[in-house]
Amino acid sequence: MEVLSHMRVIEIGSSAAASYCARLFADFGADVQKVEPPVGDGLRRSAPLTPGGQSAWFAFLNFNKSSIIIDANDPDAITRLTKLIEDCDVLVDGRDVDAAECPSIDVAAIRKRRPELIHLGVSWFGQEGPYAGFAATDSAVRALAGLVKLVGPLEGPPLQAPDFQTGIVAGLWGFIAAASSTLAKQRGGAGRSWSLNTFESSLVLTEYLMCEAFVRGDVMQRLGINRFWPSFPVGIYDTKQGWLGVTLQTPAQWLAFCDMLGLSELSNDPALLSGEDRLQHMDQIDLQFAPQLKTRTAQEWFAEGLKRKIPIVPLPEIADLLEDSEKKARGAIVPIFMSNEQGLTAGSMQRLTLTPPRRGGRVPAPGEQQVRSNTRRHLSNSGAQSSGSIDADRQPLHGMRVIDFSMGWAGPLCTRTLADLGADVIKIEAIQYPDWFRGVDRRPDYVDAEMYERRARFSILNRNKRGITLDLKRPKGHALAKRLIAGADVVVDNYSVDVLSKLGLGYDELRTLNPRLVMMSMSAFGANSVHRDCRAYGSTLEQGSGLPGVIGSPDGPPLMSHTAFGDPIGGLNGCAAVLVALLHVHSTGQGQFIDLAQIECMMPFVAPWMTVQSIGGTPPIRYGNRHPQFVPHGCFRCAGEDSWIVVAATDSEMWHRLALLIGRPDWAKDDSLKSTEARRGIESAIEMEIAGWTLSRDADTAMSELQSAKVAAGVARLPIDLLKDPHLRSRAYLQEVERAFIGLHPQPSMPIREGGGPHSIRTAAPTLGQHNREILSELLGLSESEIAELAREGIIGTKMLSERELAESNSVSSDCKIEPTL
């Protein structure tokens, strides 16, 4: 029986985020009933379309669901819909994005009758704040979230990715909210009601840069095609055959790359050792890199990079993905059936090994029911009072314990989210190898000044956790880690494949101690991948996902859309996977291993093009800032230096209002221009008129006028702008947190809310080894003298070791180096 086969989920309204959230339930066997109007969900008409005229985007979001048609004009419509909702476990509600002719129902009244019902309401911007009620598109939201302005040519305009990002990110957040609530209900709690807005959900991609801007000021600007602050090179290069993704972060990687290319004059220059220093010499470095890289193919360079542990990867085209036998075998690419067409799409990325997700499925026609073999039952909340009000204020994961071996961004975001939801997360570092987000500089001045405690990026990703240091390569440290794990629910790591196994802390060893244990490895390519030893960062994952090949101008190079896109996406998928595994544990008592390949987590962003090309053989069209469905759609310059705004007309009514606003009543009156294709015939002329109108206004004034006319628009913000964004301020999205060495600083809230305000941040990120004594004494029962002995031996500590001290420490330890993959 599938993990969630006992559940029923009802999806109403038309929202990509709601649809993806519900699809994640369907992936693991839930009976998902999608409510549609007689004409079908509007997303059924979203481009790109298959050769048979079906939406590949809708197909990706909705396979393995059933469809129920409810006509709002039917006198029994409200009664029918109410009965459906009263008989479900989770209601995913996208009506605030698009009501899709859904009959008006009183969800609060239904929840009063059925307090165990879990409700997730999705909107673009939330119910309150200056942006509430804004007309929106995926691109307008990303512009406001700081995800557009830093991408593209130096002179502009900024370049946007296609419209398949915010729905996936917000859908993951929605699933995390609903799945954690399901777990809480199984453990004796009541149902919960969550609100989720797409704008704040997207900020998980920006929050690292926001907080770096708080510390460093206005240092981030658009640097040009495939160039991103704070390091260089992080980009895409042409080779003799194919494109190559390159990410060089550490001095060792830089030196190895220069050696591989035979550029000793670069490696010998001390002014180029750090990534930030290299940013000052980008053009000169590229002039030397480019000719050398064209002497060999991308695959040949990749093979060389593997030998030298350099994070480089060939860029696949969509056709390459469709032929990738490894991804098909792992279920990252699955068959999909639509009416009379069959193709391929992205499967579930939550790779649970004991209870795997479904591998493909059928997209329902309007009104079509999928056959279910499993008997449905309501979720039990054993031990709950009849009112369902046990510990109503308790966070969903209260009482769960997580042992966190992760470093950097992806793993710590996963465990931070579990901590934000109430889990007791114990972060294990070592004074020999602290989390590399604290910094990798081991020079005495850096270490003596405790600069590793002053990193904002570490602080935002490790709040609400407790921290302990253990040298896992020493017998005592290893034994203490095993004792902690024996009493835990979850272990998460993002080290290189096999590191924990070599330390005697692999899943096969740990499950004998704790059969209920859920253990997740968050490697770059997967534990059994032929590329398992490839070094990778979040940028590497985007480069290797196929996404750059569908972004940018038709005659331009493949284009990255983020400095480290794969990191937060991997973190959210990891959190979702852990929650599914915990649901299985509660039902059966069985733990399991999760083999999360973070590169696969990026594949949903290219899923529509995979489907179209798998059916018709046509490679994707790159539209630049234009759109396959909306005309006009673009990024336009406003008054002021490097000031831009995204504008789109999503239907004929919005086009009419836009034409009037920019002073073209003749266009507004021209009935022939109601057609998108007719407008495409004069698209350049329309764009020139919009550009003339926006150039005479500053960006915020232009957005205000456009939104007053209910035209979708969003200012292209920088991350630093978000620190004073009026909408985020009105919603208390940024919380002020006090921490040693940093002081008062802003922290982003979770975008999922119960009630009006955000979940409060309980504690700041731990300093190195801050909770050694607390954890060792309270959880493991060690005496003060035993703890003091551990400190004398260097097994625990509160100070990072310098390079010299590390060499001395390694002389008494094994040669197993702790390295994260990301």
Side-chain angles (χ1 to χ4, degrees):
M1 182 177 291
E2 294 165 299
V3 181
L4 305 182
S5 60
H6 55 286
M7 293 185 66
R8 175 168 293 159
V9 177
I10 300 295
E11 177 193 338
I12 60 177
S14 178
S15 158
S19 287
Y20 191 52
C21 170
R23 201 213 95 172
L24 293 171
F25 277 97
D27 284 345
F28 288 93
D31 175 14
V32 178
Q33 301 280 330
K34 181 180 182 66
V35 175
E36 302 185 76
V39 296
D41 185 341
L43 292 174
R44 287 184 180 272
R45 296 173 284 282
S46 293
L49 303 178
T50 66
Q54 299 179 88
S55 169
W57 176 226
F58 179 88
F60 166 75
L61 294 172
N62 291 286
F63 67 87
N64 282 326
K65 299 180 186 178
S66 293
S67 171
I68 297 177
I69 299 298
I70 293 184
D71 188 344
N73 296 318
D74 184 340
D76 295 327
I78 294 177
T79 301
R80 283 184 64 204
L81 183 56
T82 299
K83 286 181 178 178
L84 280 172
I85 295 170
E86 287 181 337
D87 191 40
C88 79
D89 301 295
V90 179
L91 173 63
V92 183
D93 186 350
R95 291 176 298 161
D96 282 337
V97 172
D98 183 347
E101 302 178 30
C102 184
S104 179
I105 51 170
D106 189 341
V107 175
I110 295 173
R111 291 197 72 248
K112 191 171 183 180
R113 295 193 297 273
R114 280 204 62 226
E116 64 270 32
L117 175 67
I118 296 166
H119 175 232
L120 174 74
V122 182
S123 64
W124 282 117
F125 295 101
Q127 302 301 317
E128 303 87 22
Y131 303 163
F134 267 22
T137 60
D138 184 286
S139 55
V141 168
R142 282 186 284 115
L144 285 166
L147 295 167
V148 169
K149 192 168 185 178
L150 293 174
V151 181
L154 187 64
E155 68 280 6
L159 284 170
Q160 310 162 64
D163 275 3
F164 308 112
Q165 292 193 4
T166 66
I168 293 169
V169 177
L172 281 164
W173 276 115
F175 182 78
I176 288 167
S180 65
S181 299
T182 302
L183 182 61
K185 190 167 73 168
Q186 286 188 340
R187 297 168 64 223
R192 293 172 180 263
S193 183
W194 297 86
S195 63
L196 163 73
N197 83 72
T198 304
F199 173 50
E200 289 175 12
S201 297
S202 301
L203 296 178
V204 72
L205 307 175
T206 319
E207 61 180 28
Y208 156 56
L209 294 178
M210 288 170 59
C211 291
E212 287 292 303
F214 170 78
V215 174
R216 303 197 187 200
D218 190 9
V219 296
M220 295 167 221
Q221 303 295 328
R222 194 171 55 262
L223 301 175
I225 297 288
N226 292 320
R227 292 176 172 181
F228 296 90
W229 186 91
S231 189
F232 180 85
V234 178
I236 294 170
Y237 291 85
D238 199 5
T239 70
K240 185 177 181 180
Q241 181 180 336
W243 297 89
L244 187 72
V246 176
T247 302
L248 307 180
Q249 297 282 6
T250 69
Q253 291 165 0
W254 165 252
L255 296 175
F257 190 75
C258 291
D259 179 69
M260 183 176 77
L261 268 60
L263 297 173
S264 57
E265 65 273 23
L266 290 180
S267 61
N268 292 333
D269 189 342
L272 300 179
L273 203 56
S274 81
E276 285 194 57
D277 289 339
R278 294 193 292 271
L279 277 177
Q280 312 306 314
H281 307 279
M282 296 182 294
D283 290 338
Q284 300 94 308
I285 293 172
D286 274 350
L287 283 174
Q288 297 192 60
F289 273 8
Q292 290 299 107
L293 286 169
K294 287 184 178 179
T295 62
R296 303 179 75 176
T297 69
Q299 289 292 342
E300 288 170 340
W301 286 124
F302 179 54
E304 283 294 321
L306 281 174
K307 298 175 188 175
R308 301 164 187 260
K309 300 183 178 180
I310 305 171
I312 57 178
V313 64
L315 267 68
E317 297 181 353
I318 298 299
D320 301 322
L321 294 177
L322 295 174
E323 296 173 1
D324 192 322
S325 58
E326 179 177 289
K327 288 185 172 60
K328 290 178 181 178
R330 287 177 55 86
I333 298 175
V334 297
I336 188 172
F337 304 88
M338 304 166 285
S339 184
N340 61 344
E341 292 181 299
Q342 178 180 346
L344 296 171
T345 192
S348 172
M349 305 309 144
Q350 290 77 47
R351 195 73 59 234
L352 279 67
T353 55
L354 181 64
T355 56
R358 293 176 173 180
R359 290 183 174 236
R362 181 172 180 78
V363 181
E368 179 184 359
Q369 288 286 300
Q370 304 271 17
V371 177
R372 302 283 168 179
S373 59
N374 294 318
T375 303
R376 166 165 155 68
R377 59 179 175 82
H378 276 304
L379 285 174
S380 63
N381 52 338
S382 55
Q385 297 172 353
S386 59
S387 66
S389 61
I390 282 184
D391 295 321
D393 295 329
R394 180 178 288 183
Q395 290 172 294
L397 302 186
H398 178 82
M400 311 293 292
R401 179 161 294 147
V402 179
I403 306 301
D404 180 9
F405 288 107
S406 68
M407 298 183 180
W409 191 347
L413 174 63
C414 167
T415 53
R416 183 193 81 182
T417 305
L418 297 171
D420 286 349
L421 290 166
D424 176 21
V425 176
I426 297 175
K427 183 178 182 69
I428 296 184
E429 301 178 81
I431 57 174
Q432 294 84 1
Y433 298 104
D435 186 327
W436 68 277
F437 252 33
R438 292 182 183 272
V440 295
D441 192 336
R442 292 186 179 274
R443 289 173 297 182
D445 288 350
Y446 186 91
V447 174
D448 293 343
E450 296 179 284
M451 296 302 295
Y452 53 87
E453 296 290 9
R454 305 174 193 275
R455 294 284 191 167
R457 63 187 186 185
F458 176 86
S459 184
I460 65 167
L461 285 161
N462 292 284
R463 63 168 183 239
N464 288 336
K465 303 177 186 179
R466 295 193 285 173
I468 183 174
T469 52
L470 290 173
D471 185 351
L472 300 176
K473 296 184 290 184
R474 308 268 288 280
K476 287 184 180 179
H478 174 269
L480 291 169
K482 290 180 76 170
R483 289 177 62 188
L484 284 172
I485 291 167
D489 299 284
V490 179
V491 168
V492 174
D493 89 89
N494 67 335
Y495 298 153
S496 297
V497 172
D498 292 338
V499 165
L500 284 186
S501 294
K502 290 178 181 177
L503 291 168
L505 296 172
Y507 179 66
D508 288 340
E509 294 89 355
L510 298 180
R511 66 178 174 178
T512 62
L513 295 176
N514 183 353
R516 297 176 62 90
L517 183 69
V518 171
M519 184 171 185
M520 180 168 66
S521 169
M522 299 177 64
S523 62
F525 292 87
N528 60 356
S529 171
V530 295
H531 302 313
R532 66 200 302 268
D533 296 321
C534 178
R535 293 292 188 270
Y537 292 96
S539 49
T540 317
L541 303 176
E542 182 181 5
Q543 293 159 356
S545 70
L547 181 58
V550 303
I551 300 174
S553 304
D555 56 350
L559 190 71
M560 289 173 60
S561 62
H562 195 281
T563 181
F565 200 168
D567 281 320
I569 298 303
L572 294 182
N573 276 278
C575 183
V578 165
L579 291 171
V580 174
L582 287 173
L583 287 166
H584 178 71
V585 173
H586 187 270
S587 299
T588 66
Q590 293 178 301
Q592 64 180 298
F593 180 70
I594 302 170
D595 176 21
L596 190 89
Q598 292 190 57
I599 195 163
E600 294 174 0
C601 297
M602 289 296 297
M603 294 187 65
F605 298 101
V606 295
W609 292 278
M610 288 170 54
T611 300
V612 171
Q613 189 159 346
S614 68
I615 297 173
T618 305
I621 298 171
R622 289 196 286 166
Y623 286 87
N625 281 332
R626 290 181 173 179
H627 195 280
Q629 187 175 352
F630 306 143
V631 178
H633 183 283
C635 190
F636 301 93
R637 188 184 291 274
C638 297
E641 184 179 354
D642 199 34
S643 182
W644 304 86
I645 188 169
V646 167
V647 181
T650 62
D651 55 39
S652 59
E653 289 80 11
M654 192 177 290
W655 157 250
H656 182 270
R657 296 191 297 271
L658 174 60
L660 290 175
L661 182 66
I662 63 174
R664 289 301 303 260
D666 54 325
W667 283 350
K669 293 175 184 177
D670 189 340
D671 287 343
S672 69
L673 292 180
K674 288 182 178 180
S675 158
T676 301
E677 288 311 307
R679 294 197 298 275
R680 198 175 298 283
I682 60 167
E683 192 164 14
S684 295
I686 294 173
E687 289 169 347
M688 287 181 62
E689 289 286 345
I690 296 173
W693 184 87
T694 58
L695 193 57
S696 65
R697 294 158 172 81
D698 71 74
D700 280 282
T701 299
M703 182 172 72
S704 178
E705 292 186 44
L706 287 159
Q707 288 290 351
S708 294
K710 292 298 178 185
V711 173
V715 175
R717 306 278 194 211
L718 287 171
I720 196 170
D721 299 331
L722 299 170
L723 298 174
K724 55 182 183 296
D725 182 272
H727 187 76
L728 297 179
R729 282 190 171 181
S730 74
R731 292 176 53 81
Y733 171 79
L734 290 169
Q735 301 181 46
E736 294 292 319
V737 174
E738 182 76 32
R739 184 183 181 275
F741 297 97
I742 294 178
L744 203 62
H745 65 286
Q747 286 264 352
S749 299
M750 281 198 302
I752 46 178
R753 300 189 177 200
E754 297 178 272
H759 278 257
S760 296
I761 295 170
R762 302 185 303 278
T763 60
T767 54
L768 190 63
Q770 179 180 340
H771 301 102
N772 285 345
R773 178 167 277 97
E774 176 182 312
I775 291 169
L776 293 174
S777 62
E778 293 180 11
L779 295 186
L780 302 184
L782 270 65
S783 66
E784 287 294 324
S785 61
E786 289 173 314
I787 294 172
E789 179 65 20
L790 292 170
R792 282 194 296 273
E793 294 177 4
I795 293 168
I796 65 171
T798 57
K799 305 293 183 183
M800 176 180 173
L801 298 189
S802 67
E803 196 66 57
R804 177 185 59 79
E805 293 168 325
L806 178 62
E808 293 171 355
S809 174
N810 282 340
S811 68
V812 296
S813 302
S814 73
D815 61 355
C816 184
K817 189 175 181 181
I818 306 297
E819 287 186 335
T821 56
L822 297 153

